[in-house]
Amino acid sequence: MRVPPGAQLVFQQVLNATSGDPPSAFSDSDPRFNDWLGKANDLRLFAVVDRVMGPVVTLFVLVFETPDEEIAWFPSLGGVPNINVPDVSATDITVVSGSDTGSMRSGRPSTGFRKLQVSIQGDDICSARVRVWATGRGGYRRVHRLLFAERMTGTSSLYTMQQCDWLSSVDQLGVAVVADEVSGTSPTLTVQTEESSNGRTWTNVNATPELNGVTITPGFPAPSAFGFSDSLPLSGFIRFRLQLGGTSPVGTVKLWVTGREIRSS
């Protein structure tokens, strides 16, 4: 079994908050665990809250992920908290649990790295000690690679390397794409997955591109992610077609793949 065994204490801080909305600034889990948290496709979270000072306290725990720790992180569930406890006890220890699973992500396998962001909110000034343990289950990360990094100009399609037979040797495939240093009028990005049985004749995996004309803007963009679970077997060779849209589009596009294994070794 290659999934990380046991549970790790990945977050332990005393958090403070002022009154009202929004929640206090989110605090990150220990960055030493970013790689460990990304090894398994599914996470079980176990939070303990104590030493509460102040009125009613609400706890928020969100899982964030990224294909590369040097670029933007994005919330695994699109901003929905993985743990949301609206009434933390001020006189006792509060124990709650939550998860981050492929089914919660609509079947999409997780990308390469994860972290937690934790915050509290109260009706008035408050504080609490929060500890969060994580346990990884299923979908061991077998491979994680930057597959494509090119400066794209115009609307012609570019392809990742064709002889990527190792892509089809995994059970689940997570894909993350980011476009940066973008210019042009109304630039968009399309990414379509293609498969082949012999590496010469290719067909689209899905009729509609997995990323279909997604609007890209300058700045510090968050990756767009999609993937394939074991419910959709792929052929022996896989490649990705990338294309910019709009008027005179230019951008630096990077694509990462994360291969996950669910079969026992």
Side-chain angles (χ1 to χ4, degrees), residues 219-262:
F220 192 57
S224 298
F226 63 91
F228 302 93
S229 67
D230 56 304
S231 62
L232 178 63
L234 298 174
S235 297
F237 296 87
I238 302 168
R239 70 179 184 183
F240 301 94
R241 178 180 67 84
L242 300 95
Q243 183 180 24
L244 296 179
T247 303
S248 302
V250 178
T252 300
V253 181
K254 296 180 179 179
L255 182 147
W256 291 262
V257 292
T258 304
R260 296 189 175 277
E261 187 176 76
I262 60 174

Side-chain angles (χ1 to χ4, degrees), residues 79-99:
V80 177
N82 299 80
I83 297 178
N84 182 359
V85 183
D87 189 6
V88 174
S89 172
T91 59
D92 201 355
I93 297 175
T94 298
V95 179
V96 293
S97 60
S99 300

Side-chain angles (χ1 to χ4, degrees), residues 2-264:
R2 296 179 179 177
V3 172
Q8 293 279 4
L9 177 61
V10 298
F11 184 91
Q12 181 175 220
Q13 292 187 36
V14 174
L15 301 179
N16 299 282
T18 56
S19 60
D21 294 327
S24 64
F26 281 85
S27 298
D28 289 347
S29 55
D30 190 329
R32 294 176 300 172
F33 293 104
N34 291 352
D35 177 70
W36 185 89
L37 287 167
K39 286 186 177 180
N41 190 47
D42 299 336
L43 289 179
R44 184 63 172 170
L45 305 175
F46 188 87
V48 176
V49 187
D50 60 6
R51 301 179 185 175
V52 176
M53 301 289 292
V56 176
V57 172
T58 299
L59 171 69
F60 301 92
V61 180
L62 287 85
V63 175
F64 278 69
E65 55 182 301
T66 186
D68 189 323
E69 294 177 282
E70 299 300 319
I71 67 172
W73 294 75
F74 63 96
S76 177
L77 303 183
V80 177
N82 299 80
I83 297 178
N84 182 359
V85 183
D87 189 6
V88 174
S89 172
T91 59
D92 201 355
I93 297 175
T94 298
V95 179
V96 293
S97 60
S99 300
D100 180 52
T101 66
S103 60
M104 296 171 70
R105 298 186 299 270
S106 300
R108 176 182 64 81
S110 177
T111 54
F113 302 92
R114 281 200 192 98
K115 68 178 180 180
L116 307 185
Q117 288 199 344
V118 184
S119 179
I120 61 173
Q121 178 184 4
D123 295 335
D124 203 339
I125 297 174
C126 60
S127 67
R129 183 178 69 163
V130 181
R131 290 170 290 169
V132 183
W133 285 261
T135 303
R137 299 292 184 191
Y140 173 76
R141 188 187 64 209
R142 180 177 174 184
V143 62
H144 177 71
R145 296 184 185 179
L146 175 62
L147 191 63
F148 181 92
E150 296 286 347
R151 185 69 173 168
M152 298 183 65
T153 302
T155 57
S156 297
S157 294
L158 293 182
Y159 293 85
T160 59
M161 63 181 77
Q162 297 184 9
Q163 301 302 322
C164 289
D165 53 324
W166 54 268
L167 283 176
S168 60
S169 66
V170 295
D171 299 312
Q172 301 174 326
L173 196 63
V175 183
V177 188
V178 67
D180 200 2
E181 301 172 336
V182 177
S183 63
T185 302
S186 302
T188 63
L189 174 64
T190 293
V191 180
Q192 185 151 40
T193 310
E194 299 182 357
E195 61 180 341
S196 172
S197 60
N198 56 17
R200 296 187 298 273
T201 304
W202 296 86
T203 186
N204 297 330
V205 173
N206 294 305
T208 301
E210 288 75 25
L211 297 180
N212 191 16
V214 175
T215 300
I216 50 179
T217 56
F220 192 57
S224 298
F226 63 91
F228 302 93
S229 67
D230 56 304
S231 62
L232 178 63
L234 298 174
S235 297
F237 296 87
I238 302 168
R239 70 179 184 183
F240 301 94
R241 178 180 67 84
L242 300 95
Q243 183 180 24
L244 296 179
T247 303
S248 302
V250 178
T252 300
V253 181
K254 296 180 179 179
L255 182 147
W256 291 262
V257 292
T258 304
R260 296 189 175 277
E261 187 176 76
I262 60 174
R263 293 167 292 190
S264 59

